[in-house]
Amino acid sequence: MEIIDAAVHQLLKTAQTKGCVAKVAAGPMVVDEALTELVRAISDTYSRRTSQRTGTFGSEQHYPFPKHLRSYIFESGDFFAFTKWAVDELALRIADELFANGGYVFFCNYRVSQGQFLLVAKLTNASGASFSEDMTHATPSVYLNVRELQQVGRINVGGWKDSAKKYLTFVSAKESGHASDYFVKFLGCAEVASNTAETNKLVNVMQAFCDDQKLSEEESSAFRQRAYDYAHALPAGTAMSLAAMANAAWPDKPEQLTTFINANDDAPTDDLVPTPAALKRLINWKLKMKGMTLNMTDHFKTEHKVEIKNGKHLVIHNVSEDIVQELGGT
């Protein structure tokens, strides 16, 4: 991991009060091993979060964040000046939100093997305990809470530059039971998510996981059936938690599946509402050619060893007698 630029400022605000003051840092953060470990910890936690949502930047005329970010990223602008503007902008947006708390606003431009990213995270302190040096007392301890990320945005710089379909992901958890839409608006995100499109993404990434894990046909079928059974059992119109689905489909290592989903370039958003027709692609096959359409379940495909031979012959083994008679077979 290469840290390019980093800075942190503070928002001074207490829930159930109006007004917010931005306390600006004296300068950019020093890039050292401690900072690298912090960014790595935030990034790892973020990758495991299943509450990620996806979107793209809205019009820069109405959303100033991408305009200022563009100036820094693509026009060699001043990073620290960008972050000072950003924390002031967030302070204005949070000022009238009674339910919202303050915290640290951390900005980091970093590069990893997957590309270059700009991370914006609102972090809070957590209270804990430690032991005194002579180990005779328990002493209070305060630390940054990076295990429960509440508001985080991450921009894939390369994807944004290339106008990819997905370059902005974010987590915007509730605060005091209220939706924290102010953070999404601050980032300038125009959310894009269709239930059918997101369900299709889920189907595709589950198949990609099977390929990545080199599952046998039987193992792949069982895996996708478990995912389908969980999603299909949800009441109509119910949002599906990817974490709960991962626990049902890959119970031995659910975090492995969650991390794989989040790392996929076309990952579905959390809390998607599965559409039945698209969901059936997990367990159904539909083959079409001129003059013929063949629909079959995944169970049928496995049980009857449906296969392509010699690159052009479709073979279905152990077909029922009535099908043989209907097609005039012997």
Side-chain angles (χ1 to χ4, degrees):
M1 174 180 286
E2 176 193 356
I3 307 296
I4 301 171
D5 287 306
V8 64
H9 307 292
Q10 191 173 13
L11 294 175
L12 302 177
K13 186 183 186 302
T14 304
Q16 304 308 317
T17 62
K18 286 194 173 185
C20 180
V21 176
K23 182 179 179 181
V24 177
M29 296 188 73
V30 174
V31 176
D32 56 16
E33 186 60 31
L35 176 62
T36 302
E37 286 303 314
L38 173 63
V39 177
R40 186 175 286 116
I42 295 173
S43 180
D44 288 347
T45 300
Y46 185 75
S47 294
R48 291 194 296 269
R49 282 294 296 265
T50 59
S51 54
Q52 290 185 21
R53 302 161 78 183
T54 62
T56 57
F57 286 132
S59 165
E60 294 184 8
Q61 181 180 356
H62 300 98
Y63 297 100
F65 184 90
K67 176 182 177 180
H68 286 262
L69 179 60
R70 182 184 297 279
S71 176
Y72 159 62
I73 292 289
F74 302 127
E75 299 170 16
S76 301
D78 185 312
F79 173 78
F80 192 65
F82 158 68
T83 66
K84 288 196 295 182
W85 169 86
V87 76
D88 284 337
E89 174 72 11
L90 186 53
L92 289 174
R93 290 185 177 275
I94 202 176
D96 292 331
E97 304 286 357
L98 287 174
F99 60 84
N101 283 297
Y104 296 99
V105 187
F106 178 61
F107 302 84
C108 185
N109 180 14
Y110 66 99
R111 187 178 289 110
V112 289
S113 58
Q114 296 90 343
Q116 183 180 344
F117 295 87
L118 190 287
L119 177 77
V120 183
K122 181 167 166 273
L123 303 172
T124 57
N125 284 330
S127 298
S130 184
F131 295 111
S132 61
E133 188 173 346
D134 62 3
M135 294 178 287
T136 61
H137 295 84
T139 58
S141 175
V142 178
Y143 59 93
L144 280 174
N145 187 356
V146 298
R147 294 185 178 182
E148 298 178 6
L149 300 176
Q150 299 298 308
Q151 282 80 38
V152 184
R154 186 166 67 180
I155 297 96
N156 183 322
V157 174
W160 183 28
K161 183 178 180 180
D162 297 336
S163 301
K165 292 181 179 179
K166 175 186 174 183
Y167 57 79
L168 170 60
T169 61
F170 61 92
V171 167
S172 184
K174 290 183 178 181
E175 290 184 75
S176 304
H178 295 268
S180 49
D181 292 340
Y182 68 83
F183 190 77
V184 179
K185 294 176 180 176
F186 157 69
L187 290 176
C189 176
E191 193 176 342
V192 289
S194 142
N195 288 333
T196 297
E198 294 304 307
T199 306
N200 282 327
K201 289 180 183 179
L202 173 67
V203 172
N204 294 338
V205 78
M206 296 297 272
Q207 182 58 57
F209 183 76
C210 292
D211 297 339
D212 180 76
Q213 295 296 305
K214 296 181 172 56
L215 300 183
S216 67
E217 189 169 357
E218 291 76 13
E219 291 169 333
S220 174
S221 177
F223 166 74
R224 286 181 282 113
Q225 185 69 53
R226 290 193 296 269
Y228 175 83
D229 289 344
Y230 174 80
H232 184 64
L234 295 172
T238 301
M240 185 184 76
S241 161
L242 290 177
M245 186 278 298
N247 275 303
W250 200 242
D252 292 339
K253 295 181 179 179
E255 285 193 355
Q256 181 186 30
L257 175 56
T258 299
T259 300
F260 181 87
I261 292 174
N262 285 335
N264 192 282
D265 288 339
D266 203 26
T269 61
D270 195 24
D271 292 333
L272 66 95
V273 178
T275 55
L279 190 64
K280 282 185 178 180
R281 290 183 52 232
L282 273 171
I283 58 169
N284 284 2
W285 295 77
K286 185 175 183 179
L287 310 176
K288 294 183 70 175
M289 59 184 296
K290 188 175 181 180
M292 186 196 79
T293 299
L294 175 62
N295 290 299
M296 60 181 166
T297 65
D298 200 60
H299 176 73
F300 179 92
K301 180 178 181 293
T302 303
E303 185 179 61
H304 293 271
K305 297 181 180 178
V306 180
E307 60 181 338
I308 302 295
K309 280 196 171 182
N310 300 325
K312 58 182 179 179
H313 299 295
L314 175 64
V315 180
I316 305 175
H317 298 269
N318 304 320
V319 296
S320 61
E321 189 64 31
D322 56 338
I323 292 180
V324 174
Q325 293 177 2
E326 182 72 24
L327 294 178
T330 57

